[in-house]
Amino acid sequence: MAFRRILIVGFGTMTGAMVDGWLAAGSDASRFEVYHPSKTEVAHGLTVHNAWPADTYDAVLLGVKPQMLDDVAAGLEPLIGPGTVLLSVLGGVTIDTCKTRFPRAAGWVRFMPNLACSIGKSPNALFGAGLDAETRHAVTQLAEEIGTAEWLESEDQFDLVTALAGSGPGFVYRFIDALAAGATNLGLPEQQAQRLALAMVEGASALAARSEHSPAQLAKRVASPGGMTQKGLDVLDDGGALVNLLTDCLRAARDRGAEMAKGPAAKG
């Protein structure tokens, strides 16, 4: 199966970024159509349907707010038959919930990118049900057009992976901002500190992605015994301070995902 025609239900920040990435990777805009009850235009001039189209699609990308799932399910279900795969980016909405709402689909996939999909750099978490080998391969290809594909062995892992790879950019952006704020507190002009922090993180992450060394090894290579970098690392490492902080951060995000999965829209 190749996803030649995709209907997007819920054209928001995330699904819009996904389309940005797919178009940048070479897809034609005609590959994508949008259902929206009130919008008449969206980015890239995609075809917009204000009523449910009487047509068939290889895949439906579901990107509404989780609490709106039941609002669209009745109208959408007739479009998702045995020839259509459901791709859901709804946080906290389980595969079983998707199967209950759309029981005739050719397969169900939880597909969790982050906003770096717009530049082809998203780690995409995937978990599916009812997929044959050909369809799973097609989903993998679709994910790899906007980054990497990471299939999970258990749906129980999804909230943690979402916290790491989906929410993670927010934590990184806050870290960059905090580095700049710290430098500003110590005397650098604010705008200069922000430029330096952003450029430093961009270069460091690019090097880490290409290096044969792990991030832990790279940190050691930067630091000289008793030097400036080591003194800073000592603060981060004291009592496992940084690891403990980020463990708490990921736990809070993961647990919120589990709470969302217990909400009304996520229940089968």
Side-chain angles (χ1 to χ4, degrees), residues 1-108:
M1 171 180 282
F3 297 121
R4 296 184 179 89
R5 299 192 70 206
I6 299 174
L7 178 67
I8 302 170
V9 180
F11 196 81
T13 300
M14 183 59 72
T15 52
M18 295 169 79
V19 170
D20 290 342
W22 282 320
L23 296 183
S27 286
D28 192 272
S30 62
R31 186 184 192 185
F32 308 100
E33 298 179 19
V34 174
Y35 166 78
H36 196 284
S38 59
K39 286 184 179 180
T40 57
E41 295 182 0
V42 297
H44 307 296
L46 305 185
T47 297
V48 180
H49 301 276
N50 298 135
W52 293 112
D55 212 337
T56 58
Y57 298 88
D58 302 309
V60 168
L61 177 61
L62 185 58
V64 298
K65 294 180 180 179
Q67 61 268 28
M68 294 177 59
L69 176 59
D70 286 334
D71 295 336
V72 302
L76 179 58
E77 197 282 330
L79 278 69
I80 304 180
T84 303
V85 174
L86 178 71
L87 308 171
S88 171
V89 298
L90 275 59
V93 175
T94 66
I95 285 288
D96 282 346
T97 296
C98 293
K99 292 170 72 173
T100 299
R101 301 303 193 278
F102 310 103
R104 300 180 304 115
W108 303 266

Side-chain angles (χ1 to χ4, degrees), residues 177-234:
D177 186 61
L179 278 174
T184 299
N185 290 341
L186 294 173
L188 276 184
E190 180 178 2
Q191 294 300 315
Q192 186 177 50
Q194 290 178 353
R195 290 194 303 271
L196 286 167
L198 181 59
M200 179 278 297
V201 171
E202 181 181 19
S205 61
L207 178 60
R210 299 176 184 177
S211 178
E212 62 184 18
H213 303 288
S214 71
Q217 291 170 329
L218 288 172
K220 290 182 178 179
R221 291 170 68 87
V222 174
S224 301
M228 294 173 60
T229 304
Q230 188 58 55
K231 284 297 183 181
L233 290 174
D234 289 344

Side-chain angles (χ1 to χ4, degrees), residues 168-184:
F171 310 147
V172 172
Y173 300 147
R174 183 59 60 84
F175 177 72
I176 297 170
D177 186 61
L179 278 174
T184 299

